[in-house]
Amino acid sequence: MAINIKYRPLKAFLLAVDTGSFTHAANQLGVTQPSFTALIQDLEEVLGLRLFERTTRSISLTSAGQDFYARVQRPIADLEEAYRSLADLAAVRRGNVALGALPSTALSLLPVATGTLRQAHPALKVRVVEAHNDELVALLRTNQIEFAVAAQAEPASDLTFTPLGEDCFCAVYPAGHPLGDEPGMLHWRDVLRYDLILLSQGSNARQQFDRAVRDEADAPATALRYDVTNMGTAAGMVRQGLGVSVLPRLALPELNLSGLRCTPLGDASARRYIGLLHRRDRSLSPAAQALVAQLEIAMAEIQPRLLPLPPMTPAD
């Protein structure tokens, strides 16, 4: 036989036991005493047992009431804790967010976004995994991160991409370098004339560079290339006169570019969209949504500090 289990009569029963008074229990539950008595009577009727011995001055548990109290006290406490826990998650009072980020976005967007999030929601915990775009996709598909701040990749049926903003790659060279004397905007073919300091294989910057050079007609041969992992290392090597680098515009405000010049490349192949990548079959948690909102604000705030996007030259 199915039993109609209602939370409110159970809560009334527990309050009556804990306070030893229907009057005090009714006040805690926020109902009148007659309404409270009706809740207890409804519970006794459902169970088919008397739970309390009542007089005009006191109440006491029957043996059945004592057994019932021992059985329901912990489950009701666990149920209420589960509700409080989910309410905290929904209100972003607590939670964990694991996200992935390209090095350029981790450098420029994540510190501001997570700092603001910490001020608003100090109990939230954020874990950031820096990785290349292909690695971020793999981490998403294996549920190791909830979402990624990444470059737009090839369309995939299992992933959703939401743009945050447009970015481009910039030539970074020492002050007084011949690239600074080039008329008009710079292109891939202009930087290929010089020794290059490039981000390592697997990075989005390197992928776009290799793809652009492969498609560049009559591209001049580069005499020397240095592969580095860190954008700060690339800038330091440029400062030492070891070559020219190509770095994401988004990261430049956070790098030490003293003594260097930066010029955005006008090629269509030097452009990319930065955005939020996540699995199509999963909804973002409230904590992740709160972080996404801060990332959107951080992207808007960094825009005035970025070099202007040049007019885009279509690929030949």
Side-chain angles (χ1 to χ4, degrees), residues 79 93 120 139 144 156 178 195 237:
L79 178 64
R93 286 189 289 266
L139 291 170
Q144 296 182 64
D195 295 341
M237 294 179 73

Coordinates of all heavy atoms in Angstrom, one line a residue, residues 79 93 120 139 144 156 178 195 237:
L79 N 17.6 15.2 4.5 CA 16.9 15.8 3.4 C 17.0 17.3 3.5 O 17.2 18.0 2.4 CB 15.4 15.4 3.6 CG 14.4 16.0 2.5 CD1 14.8 15.5 1.1 CD2 13.0 15.6 2.9
R93 N 26.6 30.3 -3.5 CA 27.2 30.6 -2.2 C 28.4 29.6 -2.0 O 29.2 29.8 -1.1 CB 26.2 30.4 -1.0 CG 25.3 31.6 -0.9 CD 24.4 31.6 0.3 NE 23.4 30.5 0.3 CZ 22.2 30.7 -0.1 NH1 21.8 31.9 -0.5 NH2 21.3 29.7 -0.1
A120 N 32.8 38.5 -4.9 CA 31.4 38.3 -4.8 C 31.0 37.0 -4.1 O 29.9 36.9 -3.4 CB 30.8 38.4 -6.2
L139 N 39.9 17.6 -23.0 CA 39.6 17.7 -21.6 C 38.1 17.9 -21.4 O 37.5 17.3 -20.5 CB 40.3 18.9 -20.9 CG 41.8 18.7 -20.7 CD1 42.4 20.0 -20.3 CD2 42.1 17.6 -19.7
Q144 N 36.9 16.5 -17.7 CA 37.9 16.9 -16.8 C 37.8 18.4 -16.5 O 38.3 18.9 -15.5 CB 39.3 16.6 -17.3 CG 39.5 15.1 -17.4 CD 40.9 14.8 -17.9 OE1 41.9 15.1 -17.2 NE2 41.1 14.2 -19.0
A156 N 31.9 21.1 -34.2 CA 31.8 19.7 -33.7 C 30.4 19.6 -33.2 O 29.9 20.5 -32.5 CB 32.8 19.4 -32.7
P178 N 63.5 47.1 -39.0 CA 63.0 47.4 -40.3 C 61.5 47.2 -40.5 O 60.9 47.9 -41.3 CB 63.8 46.5 -41.3 CG 65.1 46.2 -40.6 CD 64.7 46.2 -39.1
D195 N 64.5 36.3 -38.8 CA 64.5 35.2 -37.8 C 63.3 35.3 -36.9 O 62.9 36.4 -36.6 CB 65.8 35.2 -37.0 CG 67.1 35.0 -37.8 OD1 67.0 34.5 -38.9 OD2 68.1 35.4 -37.3
M237 N 63.3 37.4 -25.7 CA 64.2 37.0 -26.8 C 64.2 38.1 -27.9 O 65.2 38.4 -28.5 CB 63.9 35.6 -27.3 CG 64.2 34.5 -26.3 SD 63.8 32.9 -26.9 CE 65.2 32.6 -28.0

